[in-house]
mmCIF file of all heavy atoms in Angstrom:
data_model
loop_
_atom_site.group_PDB
_atom_site.id
_atom_site.type_symbol
_atom_site.label_atom_id
_atom_site.label_comp_id
_atom_site.label_asym_id
_atom_site.label_seq_id
_atom_site.Cartn_x
_atom_site.Cartn_y
_atom_site.Cartn_z
ATOM 1 N N GLN T 105 22.292 3.304 -34.906
ATOM 2 C CA GLN T 105 23.178 3.558 -36.030
ATOM 3 C C GLN T 105 24.460 4.219 -35.547
ATOM 4 O O GLN T 105 24.419 5.161 -34.763
ATOM 5 C CB GLN T 105 22.500 4.454 -37.060
ATOM 6 C CG GLN T 105 21.286 3.835 -37.728
ATOM 7 C CD GLN T 105 20.714 4.738 -38.796
ATOM 8 O OE1 GLN T 105 21.429 5.227 -39.672
ATOM 9 N NE2 GLN T 105 19.411 4.957 -38.725
ATOM 10 N N LEU T 106 25.562 3.706 -36.024
ATOM 11 C CA LEU T 106 26.864 4.278 -35.742
ATOM 12 C C LEU T 106 27.464 4.730 -37.061
ATOM 13 O O LEU T 106 27.667 3.920 -37.968
ATOM 14 C CB LEU T 106 27.779 3.257 -35.065
ATOM 15 C CG LEU T 106 27.279 2.671 -33.741
ATOM 16 C CD1 LEU T 106 28.230 1.586 -33.248
ATOM 17 C CD2 LEU T 106 27.146 3.765 -32.688
ATOM 18 N N VAL T 107 27.728 6.003 -37.167
ATOM 19 C CA VAL T 107 28.226 6.582 -38.404
ATOM 20 C C VAL T 107 29.644 7.069 -38.193
ATOM 21 O O VAL T 107 29.885 7.960 -37.374
ATOM 22 C CB VAL T 107 27.325 7.730 -38.884
ATOM 23 C CG1 VAL T 107 27.860 8.297 -40.199
ATOM 24 C CG2 VAL T 107 25.894 7.246 -39.064
ATOM 25 N N GLU T 108 30.555 6.498 -38.946
ATOM 26 C CA GLU T 108 31.970 6.791 -38.788
ATOM 27 C C GLU T 108 32.453 7.768 -39.845
ATOM 28 O O GLU T 108 31.906 7.839 -40.950
ATOM 29 C CB GLU T 108 32.778 5.499 -38.874
ATOM 30 C CG GLU T 108 32.403 4.497 -37.794
ATOM 31 C CD GLU T 108 32.946 3.116 -38.083
ATOM 32 O OE1 GLU T 108 33.237 2.816 -39.258
ATOM 33 O OE2 GLU T 108 33.079 2.338 -37.119
ATOM 34 N N SER T 109 33.495 8.479 -39.491
ATOM 35 C CA SER T 109 34.135 9.397 -40.417
ATOM 36 C C SER T 109 35.582 9.602 -39.995
ATOM 37 O O SER T 109 35.963 9.258 -38.882
ATOM 38 C CB SER T 109 33.398 10.740 -40.469
ATOM 39 O OG SER T 109 33.416 11.381 -39.206
ATOM 40 N N GLY T 110 36.369 10.156 -40.881
ATOM 41 C CA GLY T 110 37.737 10.517 -40.554
ATOM 42 C C GLY T 110 38.810 9.633 -41.142
ATOM 43 O O GLY T 110 40.002 9.941 -41.023
ATOM 44 N N GLY T 111 38.420 8.535 -41.753
ATOM 45 C CA GLY T 111 39.408 7.672 -42.365
ATOM 46 C C GLY T 111 39.996 8.303 -43.610
ATOM 47 O O GLY T 111 39.513 9.314 -44.111
ATOM 48 N N GLY T 112 41.050 7.692 -44.098
ATOM 49 C CA GLY T 112 41.680 8.205 -45.295
ATOM 50 C C GLY T 112 43.080 7.677 -45.459
ATOM 51 O O GLY T 112 43.494 6.724 -44.807
ATOM 52 N N LEU T 113 43.803 8.314 -46.341
ATOM 53 C CA LEU T 113 45.184 7.954 -46.639
ATOM 54 C C LEU T 113 46.126 8.907 -45.920
ATOM 55 O O LEU T 113 45.962 10.128 -45.995
ATOM 56 C CB LEU T 113 45.427 8.013 -48.146
ATOM 57 C CG LEU T 113 46.855 7.783 -48.632
ATOM 58 C CD1 LEU T 113 47.300 6.362 -48.311
ATOM 59 C CD2 LEU T 113 46.945 8.057 -50.122
ATOM 60 N N VAL T 114 47.097 8.343 -45.240
ATOM 61 C CA VAL T 114 48.058 9.149 -44.505
ATOM 62 C C VAL T 114 49.437 8.509 -44.614
ATOM 63 O O VAL T 114 49.561 7.290 -44.756
ATOM 64 C CB VAL T 114 47.633 9.301 -43.028
ATOM 65 C CG1 VAL T 114 47.669 7.953 -42.313
ATOM 66 C CG2 VAL T 114 48.486 10.322 -42.303
ATOM 67 N N GLN T 115 50.457 9.326 -44.563
ATOM 68 C CA GLN T 115 51.824 8.821 -44.606
ATOM 69 C C GLN T 115 52.246 8.277 -43.252
ATOM 70 O O GLN T 115 51.722 8.693 -42.215
ATOM 71 C CB GLN T 115 52.782 9.929 -45.035
ATOM 72 C CG GLN T 115 52.584 10.409 -46.459
ATOM 73 C CD GLN T 115 53.597 11.452 -46.865
ATOM 74 O OE1 GLN T 115 54.171 12.140 -46.029
ATOM 75 N NE2 GLN T 115 53.828 11.576 -48.163
ATOM 76 N N PRO T 116 53.192 7.347 -43.242
ATOM 77 C CA PRO T 116 53.709 6.858 -41.966
ATOM 78 C C PRO T 116 54.177 8.012 -41.090
ATOM 79 O O PRO T 116 54.816 8.948 -41.565
ATOM 80 C CB PRO T 116 54.873 5.961 -42.381
ATOM 81 C CG PRO T 116 54.495 5.474 -43.737
ATOM 82 C CD PRO T 116 53.806 6.654 -44.388
ATOM 83 N N GLY T 117 53.837 7.936 -39.813
ATOM 84 C CA GLY T 117 54.164 9.002 -38.886
ATOM 85 C C GLY T 117 53.098 10.069 -38.784
ATOM 86 O O GLY T 117 53.154 10.919 -37.889
ATOM 87 N N GLY T 118 52.139 10.017 -39.659
ATOM 88 C CA GLY T 118 51.071 10.994 -39.658
ATOM 89 C C GLY T 118 49.980 10.670 -38.661
ATOM 90 O O GLY T 118 50.063 9.700 -37.913
ATOM 91 N N SER T 119 48.948 11.490 -38.681
ATOM 92 C CA SER T 119 47.854 11.362 -37.726
ATOM 93 C C SER T 119 46.502 11.425 -38.409
ATOM 94 O O SER T 119 46.344 12.066 -39.456
ATOM 95 C CB SER T 119 47.921 12.477 -36.679
ATOM 96 O OG SER T 119 49.114 12.421 -35.915
ATOM 97 N N LEU T 120 45.552 10.770 -37.808
ATOM 98 C CA LEU T 120 44.161 10.842 -38.207
ATOM 99 C C LEU T 120 43.304 10.801 -36.958
ATOM 100 O O LEU T 120 43.701 10.219 -35.952
ATOM 101 C CB LEU T 120 43.761 9.676 -39.116
ATOM 102 C CG LEU T 120 44.246 9.655 -40.559
ATOM 103 C CD1 LEU T 120 43.866 8.320 -41.192
ATOM 104 C CD2 LEU T 120 43.639 10.805 -41.350
ATOM 105 N N ARG T 121 42.139 11.391 -37.033
ATOM 106 C CA ARG T 121 41.168 11.261 -35.965
ATOM 107 C C ARG T 121 39.878 10.702 -36.526
ATOM 108 O O ARG T 121 39.250 11.314 -37.396
ATOM 109 C CB ARG T 121 40.886 12.586 -35.266
ATOM 110 C CG ARG T 121 40.029 12.394 -34.002
ATOM 111 C CD ARG T 121 39.762 13.666 -33.237
ATOM 112 N NE ARG T 121 38.739 14.489 -33.862
ATOM 113 C CZ ARG T 121 38.001 15.386 -33.217
ATOM 114 N NH1 ARG T 121 38.196 15.586 -31.911
ATOM 115 N NH2 ARG T 121 37.108 16.098 -33.870
ATOM 116 N N LEU T 122 39.501 9.553 -36.028
ATOM 117 C CA LEU T 122 38.251 8.937 -36.415
ATOM 118 C C LEU T 122 37.142 9.380 -35.474
ATOM 119 O O LEU T 122 37.361 9.539 -34.278
ATOM 120 C CB LEU T 122 38.364 7.412 -36.381
ATOM 121 C CG LEU T 122 39.493 6.774 -37.190
ATOM 122 C CD1 LEU T 122 39.405 5.259 -37.100
ATOM 123 C CD2 LEU T 122 39.453 7.239 -38.635
ATOM 124 N N SER T 123 35.968 9.557 -36.029
ATOM 125 C CA SER T 123 34.801 9.912 -35.243
ATOM 126 C C SER T 123 33.696 8.909 -35.511
ATOM 127 O O SER T 123 33.584 8.371 -36.607
ATOM 128 C CB SER T 123 34.307 11.321 -35.592
ATOM 129 O OG SER T 123 35.284 12.300 -35.311
ATOM 130 N N CYS T 124 32.884 8.687 -34.511
ATOM 131 C CA CYS T 124 31.747 7.788 -34.643
ATOM 132 C C CYS T 124 30.579 8.386 -33.888
ATOM 133 O O CYS T 124 30.621 8.506 -32.662
ATOM 134 C CB CYS T 124 32.096 6.403 -34.095
ATOM 135 S SG CYS T 124 30.723 5.233 -34.068
ATOM 136 N N ALA T 125 29.566 8.760 -34.622
ATOM 137 C CA ALA T 125 28.372 9.357 -34.034
ATOM 138 C C ALA T 125 27.276 8.310 -33.924
ATOM 139 O O ALA T 125 27.011 7.574 -34.869
ATOM 140 C CB ALA T 125 27.899 10.536 -34.875
ATOM 141 N N SER T 126 26.632 8.270 -32.770
ATOM 142 C CA SER T 126 25.618 7.266 -32.493
ATOM 143 C C SER T 126 24.229 7.871 -32.413
ATOM 144 O O SER T 126 24.041 8.979 -31.901
ATOM 145 C CB SER T 126 25.921 6.548 -31.179
ATOM 146 O OG SER T 126 24.882 5.659 -30.823
ATOM 147 N N SER T 127 23.260 7.117 -32.897
ATOM 148 C CA SER T 127 21.861 7.511 -32.761
ATOM 149 C C SER T 127 21.190 6.795 -31.598
ATOM 150 O O SER T 127 20.015 7.007 -31.331
ATOM 151 C CB SER T 127 21.094 7.216 -34.050
ATOM 152 O OG SER T 127 21.033 5.819 -34.305
ATOM 153 N N GLY T 128 21.915 5.958 -30.896
ATOM 154 C CA GLY T 128 21.357 5.157 -29.830
ATOM 155 C C GLY T 128 20.954 5.971 -28.611
ATOM 156 O O GLY T 128 21.699 6.850 -28.162
ATOM 157 N N ARG T 129 19.790 5.651 -28.075
ATOM 158 C CA ARG T 129 19.307 6.363 -26.894
ATOM 159 C C ARG T 129 20.074 6.002 -25.633
ATOM 160 O O ARG T 129 20.043 6.758 -24.661
ATOM 161 C CB ARG T 129 17.817 6.076 -26.697
ATOM 162 C CG ARG T 129 16.922 6.659 -27.775
ATOM 163 C CD ARG T 129 15.456 6.474 -27.422
ATOM 164 N NE ARG T 129 15.060 5.078 -27.404
ATOM 165 C CZ ARG T 129 14.639 4.406 -28.458
ATOM 166 N NH1 ARG T 129 14.553 5.017 -29.639
ATOM 167 N NH2 ARG T 129 14.307 3.134 -28.350
ATOM 168 N N THR T 130 20.747 4.869 -25.647
ATOM 169 C CA THR T 130 21.499 4.412 -24.488
ATOM 170 C C THR T 130 22.992 4.653 -24.615
ATOM 171 O O THR T 130 23.786 4.063 -23.881
ATOM 172 C CB THR T 130 21.247 2.915 -24.236
ATOM 173 O OG1 THR T 130 21.666 2.160 -25.378
ATOM 174 C CG2 THR T 130 19.772 2.661 -23.970
#
């Protein structure tokens, strides 16, 4: 399972950080 977060609405020139947490053993 890959669970993402951090998306959203931002103005041009702005910043976001996306994260993705994995449950995979490998």
